[in-house]
Amino acid sequence: MSHALVIGAGPAGLMAAEELARAGHAVMVCEAKPSVARKFLMAGKSGLNLAKDEPFEAMLPRYFEAARPLRPILESFDAQAVQDWARGLGQEIFTGSTGRVFPRAMKASPLLRAWLQRLGSAGVAFRTNMGWQGWEGGMTVFDGPQGREAIVADVTVLALGGASWARLGSDGAWTGHLATRGVALSRFEPANVGLQIGWSDHMGKHLGHALKGVRFKAGPMSSRGEAVISETGIEGGGIYEVSRAVRLQHRLSVDFLPDLDQSTVAARLSRPRGKASLSTHLRKALRLDPVKLALAQEMARPLPQDPEALARVLKHLRLEHQGLRPMDQAISVAGGVRFDALTPGLMLKQVPGVFCAGEMIDWEAPTGGYLITACLATGRWAGRGAAAYAAEAA
């Protein structure tokens, strides 16, 4: 029996462990934190969006440049497969109006408990507080509870996460160990992250309030999602969906009235307003709420009086900002192990017998189920590749 080592106990690592165990290998999962799947559990606090129920060809472009190398991996474990997997763990799921798939329980813990129980029944062993320290000769070295410890394995899967939410385990520290082996890496950058804005006092009473019914646009990307005015800027799905384009230096704007064309907005603004203030006129003519009015004043004060010019501002308000929030506050990252450093089976070309899975590989995707889907799919693919490698070497 071959001995397989999985480093990292997030969804990618757990999926790899399950595939290795299913193939008959003795599997040990080592996790640096005191408990497993911490980021997975944190994601579950907002509902655990497992997948997006949509045709495969609609899903694939959401992975941008990585769509081509990910295609066979996602084809083998697509959104429908994710749903079947969750049901197989006894979890009832449902699909929302936007096609997003959630567990009926709307949290990760019941699914994780069922999964860990199934892994335990398959013989998968877990060790926590095991911080990976690289390799020495043919051994994998850890900083464990009793100090330095070396483990010998026939095959290894690395599922070490990216470089966001370091307190949950994804700190990117592993990059140094791979760089010393000559593994090609792309620099980590924030993805699915909020916008940094230094607000004036004028915005103080609007902090914590939502921007609804708007469209954000940056370069080729746009989003009808909501966002929240936070103390440090703007947060939420609407901004996250366009944060990649912002990172690539495209100008960001917001359309307060996406269901009206500019000429209609101008026509409504041309109605007589009598002695009403501009703010009152905007509320009555366009039903702009106080948050939108405040943001318009913040970014374009003084607002033009001419209806055509004002309509243009409200349809294309440029959001001046100081960039994206720090990477450790991002939901996910771009960057990591480059696909050209991996075989089609996700084995490191520079380190035979070592496979990679999950966010540590250089791909990115928006929120909405795409992240978890790809983590599960790459974990399954790497686990199967590792199992086949170990079988051939036996």
Side-chain angles (χ1 to χ4, degrees):
M1 178 184 291
S2 297
H3 292 269
L5 177 64
V6 176
I7 307 177
L14 296 182
M15 186 64 83
E18 186 153 36
E19 291 299 322
L20 283 158
R22 183 177 288 121
H25 303 290
V27 184
M28 177 182 290
V29 179
C30 290
E31 165 60 42
K33 291 296 182 179
S35 59
V36 306
R38 290 190 164 197
K39 193 173 181 182
F40 185 66
L41 288 170
M42 178 63 75
K45 289 188 175 181
S46 60
L48 192 65
N49 186 187
L50 289 170
K52 181 74 176 291
D53 191 3
E54 64 184 350
F56 182 79
E57 295 301 332
M59 176 183 80
L60 193 61
R62 306 293 274 176
Y63 296 93
F64 308 108
E65 294 91 346
R68 184 174 179 180
L70 282 175
R71 173 183 278 275
I73 298 171
L74 293 167
E75 280 180 327
S76 74
F77 199 77
D78 59 10
Q80 184 57 55
V82 173
Q83 296 174 66
D84 294 340
W85 165 79
R87 292 189 188 98
L89 286 166
Q91 303 304 300
E92 186 181 351
I93 60 174
F94 73 95
T95 302
S97 60
T98 61
R100 297 184 177 193
V101 179
F102 300 88
R104 183 68 63 183
M106 289 299 288
K107 54 186 178 180
S109 51
L111 186 151
L112 180 61
R113 282 195 299 269
W115 198 6
L116 292 176
Q117 183 177 16
R118 189 166 77 182
L119 288 168
S121 298
V124 176
F126 289 86
R127 296 192 60 186
T128 56
N129 293 305
M130 295 284 284
W132 183 48
Q133 302 300 308
W135 296 282
E136 288 183 1
M139 297 182 295
T140 307
V141 182
F142 295 87
D143 182 10
Q146 280 74 51
R148 198 168 183 83
E149 183 175 343
I151 295 175
V152 177
D154 298 297
V155 68
T156 300
V157 175
L158 303 178
L160 295 160
S164 64
W165 294 60
R167 70 182 186 276
L168 301 179
S170 298
D171 59 10
W174 52 266
T175 54
H177 304 314
L178 296 192
T180 60
R181 291 295 190 100
V183 175
L185 304 169
S186 294
R187 184 182 64 184
F188 282 125
E189 294 183 289
N192 294 301
V193 64
L195 202 66
Q196 185 144 322
I197 300 175
W199 300 118
S200 70
D201 293 341
H202 159 77
M203 291 296 292
K205 64 182 179 181
H206 301 289
L207 300 182
H209 291 237
L211 273 169
K212 298 182 179 181
V214 301
R215 175 185 281 118
F216 295 100
K217 190 174 189 308
M221 306 184 76
S222 67
S223 169
R224 286 291 297 263
E226 295 182 6
V228 173
I229 305 296
S230 72
E231 186 175 348
T232 56
I234 302 178
E235 300 280 346
I239 284 293
Y240 299 160
E241 286 191 47
V242 299
S243 61
R244 170 184 162 90
V246 174
R247 189 181 76 229
L248 296 175
Q249 304 301 310
H250 289 287
R251 191 176 92 172
L252 175 65
S253 64
V254 60
D255 179 354
F256 288 138
L257 300 151
D259 296 320
L260 300 177
D261 60 33
Q262 189 169 310
S263 61
T264 300
V265 174
R268 292 188 183 185
L269 290 172
S270 297
R271 295 171 184 170
R273 76 187 210 200
K275 296 182 179 179
S277 67
L278 179 58
S279 294
T280 299
H281 184 53
L282 287 170
R283 283 197 297 270
K284 289 184 176 180
L286 299 171
R287 298 181 179 177
L288 288 188
D289 61 46
V291 179
K292 294 174 185 175
L293 287 170
L295 185 57
Q297 292 281 7
E298 180 78 359
M299 295 293 164
R301 185 186 302 119
L303 292 175
Q305 299 290 318
D306 174 69
E308 291 287 347
L310 182 53
R312 190 161 48 250
V313 168
L314 297 177
K315 291 288 291 179
H316 309 280
L317 180 69
R318 182 169 181 173
L319 294 179
E320 302 290 349
H321 57 86
Q322 290 78 54
L324 300 174
R325 296 292 298 158
M327 186 159 56
D328 195 48
Q329 296 176 23
I331 291 175
S332 61
V333 293
V337 178
R338 286 168 38 177
F339 277 99
D340 59 9
L342 298 165
T343 68
L346 299 182
M347 185 176 74
L348 289 169
K349 294 176 181 178
Q350 296 294 107
V351 195
V354 177
F355 294 73
C356 295
E359 270 199 81
M360 68 180 295
I361 302 173
D362 184 14
W363 58 270
E364 66 175 306
T367 57
Y370 304 104
L371 293 168
I372 291 179
T373 293
C375 284
L376 293 171
T378 56
R380 179 176 178 270
W381 191 267
R384 290 191 166 191
Y389 180 91
E392 292 174 6

